[in-house]
Amino acid sequence: MGWSGRAPALPATNLARGAKDKEHPMSHNLNSTVTVIGIDIGKTSFHIVGLDDRGGIVLRQKWSRGQVEARLANMPACLIGMEACVGAHHLSRKLKALGHDARLMPARYVRPYSKGQKNDFRDAEAIAEAVQRPTMKFVATKTVDQLDLQALHRVRERLVSQRTSIMNQIRAFLLERGIAVRQGQWFLRAELPRILATPPDVLSPRMLRIISSLAADWRLLDERIEELSGEITAFAKQDSGCERLMSIPGIGPLISSAMVAAIGTGDVFSKGRDFAAWLGLVPKQISTGDRTILGKISKRGNRYLRTLFVQAAWVVLVKIKPSRWEGHGLKHWIEAAKKRLHRNVLAIALANKLARIAWSVLARGRAFEATKLQAA
């Protein structure tokens, strides 16, 4: 008998079952006991995967943003995992208010638990698996005040970047005309009035108008940066954690408030070295067998806060006189490190030390004491 090229006919009951399975990939029985939920957060829709106490998937649905809180409010308290991304802190606070144990995780720690090809349901399943791991490192849920303070810092950072771009553009235009200005914004600011009075044979009227316009933008950015800096300083003076941090040499309102906005009270870290590692201020380790290989700093974690701590280290090394290092308990350490480290490496090492001190001051609730540092 020849092959007809047709697939064998299926019973009607099998066809009906197949259509039902296509419409619903799995049973969405909400009456099943859901103990763990993984949520893949999107802009308008959230993908939900729920596991029972044996790890089996008993819930697999796509909810709109408005449905998440309403549906989870009617479910028993369970462990809920999410990646620490935009909107996650707000949802975490809402779910905790409903009695759930909501936890946030860095996306890079969730990725190893993803199986197969990437899609939103697989991501939610990986999140549900990862949140149960006893060795998982979680992200503390930020308060509304922390998010507001973080927003201030991000806006200020953007404005400072724009100001730097304007200054570089002015310098480039002047160099094209053979005018070089000493490095530093203060020197360029002082030279601008003289440059704008340059005769037409050196700078054309059109170029003078362009530089004058850029200088006006520069002044507007200065005003906005000063306004934001004042608001950040006012917050730092009212916050007890910031006040304690500002007792550390090199740390002022900007760094103290950025640290409080990033880690709160520092409870998520067990020791200062963990905080320094999170900032990326520790050497990258590539070790195998009996060989320990340490490279450059890892530069992981919060780039903005790491940059601020490096700037604080340079303030201590350059702007604070060596005679005052003794009062801060840093003299012997800096002098010993100077003999074996390049000045740039010394700045990174001091930034690491300041970060550890800052975590200790913030987490233990006491001001910086130079006598204890010297004893250590």
Side-chain angles (χ1 to χ4, degrees):
M1 189 175 194
W3 174 253
S4 63
R6 296 180 181 178
L10 293 175
T13 55
N14 289 344
L15 288 173
R17 187 181 298 112
K20 183 177 180 181
D21 289 343
K22 185 176 181 181
E23 182 179 358
H24 301 286
M26 62 165 296
S27 176
H28 303 317
N29 187 6
L30 291 179
N31 294 326
S32 301
T33 304
V34 179
T35 58
V36 180
I37 292 178
I39 302 179
D40 183 60
I41 299 176
K43 293 180 181 178
T44 57
S45 60
F46 292 29
H47 291 75
I48 314 295
V49 169
L51 310 180
D52 59 15
D53 53 358
R54 296 179 301 172
I57 299 177
V58 295
L59 174 64
R60 190 171 184 269
Q61 291 184 349
K62 178 181 177 181
W63 295 348
S64 66
R65 180 173 288 273
Q67 292 175 327
V68 174
E69 189 176 346
R71 293 191 178 186
L72 290 177
N74 297 323
M75 296 181 65
C78 56
L79 175 62
I80 300 179
M82 295 172 286
E83 290 182 346
C85 59
V86 177
H89 294 278
H90 170 77
L91 183 59
S92 177
R93 290 195 304 271
K94 292 289 186 181
L95 297 182
K96 286 182 177 181
L98 296 175
H100 295 288
D101 183 9
R103 300 182 184 180
L104 304 179
M105 300 167 289
R108 63 185 303 166
Y109 293 159
V110 176
R111 198 171 298 118
Y113 295 92
S114 180
K115 300 184 290 290
Q117 311 239 0
K118 175 178 170 36
N119 60 54
D120 293 331
F121 281 118
R122 290 267 174 85
D123 291 345
E125 182 182 347
I127 292 170
E129 292 285 349
V131 74
Q132 303 177 71
R133 300 302 97 200
T135 57
M136 177 57 63
K137 296 184 182 297
F138 297 101
V139 177
T141 301
K142 287 184 172 62
T143 64
V144 175
D145 289 339
Q146 281 181 275
L147 291 176
D148 290 347
L149 187 56
Q150 182 178 265
L152 284 175
H153 277 275
R154 288 180 176 175
V155 173
R156 185 186 180 278
E157 183 185 17
R158 176 180 60 83
L159 295 177
V160 169
S161 177
Q162 290 178 349
R163 182 175 65 181
T164 303
S165 299
I166 287 176
M167 290 187 293
N168 290 338
Q169 194 168 44
I170 292 175
R171 288 179 180 276
F173 290 156
L174 293 176
L175 282 174
E176 289 288 347
R177 304 304 191 277
I179 301 175
V181 182
R182 185 177 173 182
Q183 188 176 1
Q185 64 165 311
W186 308 112
F187 296 105
L188 181 59
R189 192 194 303 271
E191 287 291 319
L192 270 180
R194 185 185 63 81
I195 292 171
L196 293 176
T198 303
D201 58 334
V202 179
L203 288 177
S204 66
R206 183 179 292 109
M207 181 53 63
L208 288 173
R209 288 196 302 269
I210 292 174
I211 294 178
S212 179
S213 176
L214 289 173
D217 294 340
W218 183 358
R219 287 191 294 271
L220 290 176
L221 288 173
D222 279 341
E223 293 174 2
R224 294 189 62 189
I225 292 171
E226 188 66 26
E227 179 183 353
L228 290 172
S229 299
E231 191 170 351
I232 291 172
T233 301
F235 174 89
K237 290 180 178 179
Q238 296 174 0
D239 185 81
S240 58
C242 291
E243 285 185 344
R244 294 196 303 272
L245 288 172
M246 286 190 290
S247 63
I248 303 172
I251 294 182
L254 203 62
I255 301 178
S256 61
S257 58
M259 184 172 174
V260 169
I263 66 171
T265 57
D267 296 336
V268 70
F269 302 104
S270 59
K271 53 183 179 292
R273 191 187 187 284
D274 292 342
F275 174 60
W278 177 74
L279 286 179
L281 288 172
V282 297
K284 184 184 296 183
Q285 188 173 19
I286 312 171
S287 301
T288 179
D290 295 331
R291 296 178 60 196
T292 300
I293 304 173
L294 300 180
K296 299 178 180 179
I297 60 172
S298 64
K299 294 186 178 181
R300 299 174 62 181
N302 194 318
R303 178 192 59 82
Y304 175 67
L305 194 54
R306 178 175 65 251
T307 302
L308 291 180
F309 270 103
V310 173
Q311 292 175 357
W314 280 115
V315 167
V316 173
L317 293 174
V318 177
K319 294 190 175 182
I320 296 181
K321 295 181 179 179
S323 58
R324 294 178 54 193
W325 291 345
E326 183 72 35
H328 298 307
L330 296 170
K331 181 178 180 179
H332 298 297
W333 184 91
I334 294 177
E335 289 180 347
K338 266 186 172 182
K339 297 177 182 178
R340 56 187 176 87
L341 298 176
H342 185 273
R343 61 195 305 265
N344 292 340
V345 180
L346 173 61
I348 298 298
L350 182 55
N352 185 317
K353 189 175 186 66
L354 292 177
R356 296 189 188 198
I357 295 172
W359 175 85
S360 179
V361 166
L362 189 62
R364 296 175 183 174
R366 63 190 185 196
F368 172 69
E369 300 177 20
T371 54
K372 292 190 176 182
L373 183 64
Q374 289 174 340

